[in-house]
Amino acid sequence: MRVGGIATIAALAASAAVAAQDGGSIALDYRAAQERLLERSDALAASDAAVRSKEAQVGATRSLGRPEVDFEGQLLDYQKTLYLPLGSLAPVAQAFGIPDPLRFRRQEVAVRPIVTATLPLYTGGQISGTKAGARAQLDQARAEQRSAADKALLQLVQAYYGQQLAEQALGVRRDVLAGLDRHLGDALKLEREQFISRAQRLQAQVARDDAAREFEKAVADLAIANGALAGLLRAPGGVRPTSPLFVVTQPLEPLEDYKAAALASHPELDRLRALEAQAEAGVTIEKAKQRPTIYGFGQYNFDRKDSLLTDPDWSFGIGLRYKIASGLGRNQSVEAAQETARQADAGLREARTQIEIGTTKAWNEAEAARKRFRLLDSAIESAAENLRLQQLSYREQQATSLDVVDAELGMGRARVQRAQAAYDYVMALAQLLELSGRIAQLPDFAARADREVP
């Protein structure tokens, strides 16, 4: 009864895990899951908004260099006093009681509607530097957008195929538990018939209980994996992956091809190039601040009757502005901008090195997993045959309980290792494609796979 009761509990736990996945869950192959992620990811929506913001900023800088027209309207309550010297007429004026100088006072409310137009003629490079900086910021936003998409897809690969690995592990643990249940049942019968000792039966019991704990852990691991994938794809009811773990048994393309692709198209390199361009634009702007600016201007007064005596009816001309002294050290500002440019250049060189290292590592890991997967075929065949022989020998009293347990666990271990090798291959391949800017092509590699772990 004890063996049957525990087996029933394990079966119920497995059924609960399956029901948790099927209740309201959606079935998706990897290509459909990839499309869903790209449509629903909030992180990608944020990067898209950042690109649109920088595009609008570039559009705003296109009008730099055009005339600026300002309208100024003032309502004034003012008083103005004027003094007019009489000069040689002063004696005559005095004879009539007129003081010298004459004083005129004007006090009234007036409106001053004035339009002023200013056209930059020479800015020392500030306009070109501002435009270049805006374009570089847009390039940076686009590179970060691509990087966010690639990272999200890599995370999807880990979650999607991680759930497949968890399901494989659960299936193996279920089979091992069922096998050890049968072995324990046989051991109990043989113990009652006094063909084996109590110690051997206890060995079978301990191994079976360990298998039950591993099974429960596999159930929990699957639930965790399902929660991660469901959250990533915004599917509260869960997701049932339909694309199995796969391996392309043919060798990968040469490492140098992946390195060349990575150095040509990795978004991190584009981002750092954009930062370098921004730093160079900053140098241009800081140098421009040390130069004079020349501008043309024009002004027109729409209310000449109530204008002030100092206000012209209209005026136009050319002006020059040059800052002689500043509270901020301009030479140091230029030096700081130049050092920022050097920093960006050094970061770009370091990124190239790290990308080459990462590409080499991912390529070697993918090849190692591919070879390991192929070698495990014979290991599983040997483990299955060994289990069959050990079970037969045990019934004929030619093998011990430990021999059967070891064979059962060895079979389960080989199956898990094969699933793990397939998962390692998929993850290394995904990392390799992410580094070379081609992770969106993973479904194409899956379609070419000649081995799957159903």
Side-chain angles (χ1 to χ4, degrees), residues 32-190:
Q34 180 172 282
E35 293 173 356
R36 183 183 178 94
L37 175 69
L38 295 176
E39 291 173 357
R40 304 197 178 196
S41 171
D42 294 323
L44 298 184
S47 64
D48 292 344
V51 170
R52 292 193 297 270
S53 171
K54 298 306 179 184
E55 287 175 342
Q57 182 174 311
V58 169
T61 61
R62 292 196 184 103
S63 59
L64 289 176
R66 298 177 185 174
E68 293 184 3
V69 181
D70 298 320
F71 173 79
E72 182 179 5
Q74 296 179 346
L75 177 63
L76 300 177
D77 184 357
Y78 75 96
Q79 174 181 297
K80 178 64 178 177
T81 302
L82 297 175
Y83 292 91
L84 178 62
L86 296 178
S88 60
L89 297 177
V92 178
Q94 288 178 358
F96 290 95
I98 300 173
D100 180 28
L102 293 176
R103 187 180 71 169
F104 300 92
R105 175 173 292 172
R106 183 179 182 182
Q107 182 176 5
E108 62 179 76
V109 175
V111 177
R112 299 179 69 235
I114 297 176
V115 171
T116 303
T118 305
L119 175 66
L121 301 175
Y122 173 75
T123 62
Q126 289 195 50
I127 290 179
S128 60
T130 301
K131 288 183 176 181
R135 289 193 298 269
Q137 288 181 15
L138 174 58
D139 292 340
Q140 178 186 350
R142 286 172 174 167
E144 290 173 349
Q145 180 188 45
R146 288 175 48 216
S147 180
D150 288 353
K151 285 184 172 64
L153 290 177
L154 184 60
Q155 187 179 7
L156 174 63
V157 174
Q158 184 176 13
Y160 187 94
Y161 288 103
Q163 181 167 323
Q164 290 288 51
L165 177 63
E167 290 180 359
Q168 288 290 326
L170 178 61
V172 171
R173 298 305 178 193
R174 184 189 297 115
D175 292 345
V176 170
L177 178 57
L180 291 176
D181 270 336
R182 291 191 296 270
H183 175 61
L184 179 56
D186 291 341
L188 287 170
K189 293 177 184 177
L190 292 174

Side-chain angles (χ1 to χ4, degrees), residues 412-446:
R413 185 165 51 249
R415 290 174 62 194
V416 169
Q417 286 175 349
R418 183 176 64 172
Q420 183 68 52
Y423 175 77
D424 291 343
Y425 174 82
V426 172
M427 282 305 303
L429 178 61
Q431 290 169 353
L432 187 62
L433 293 175
E434 188 267 336
L435 286 165
S436 56
R438 296 185 293 167
I439 190 170
Q441 299 176 12
L442 184 66
D444 299 332
F445 281 81

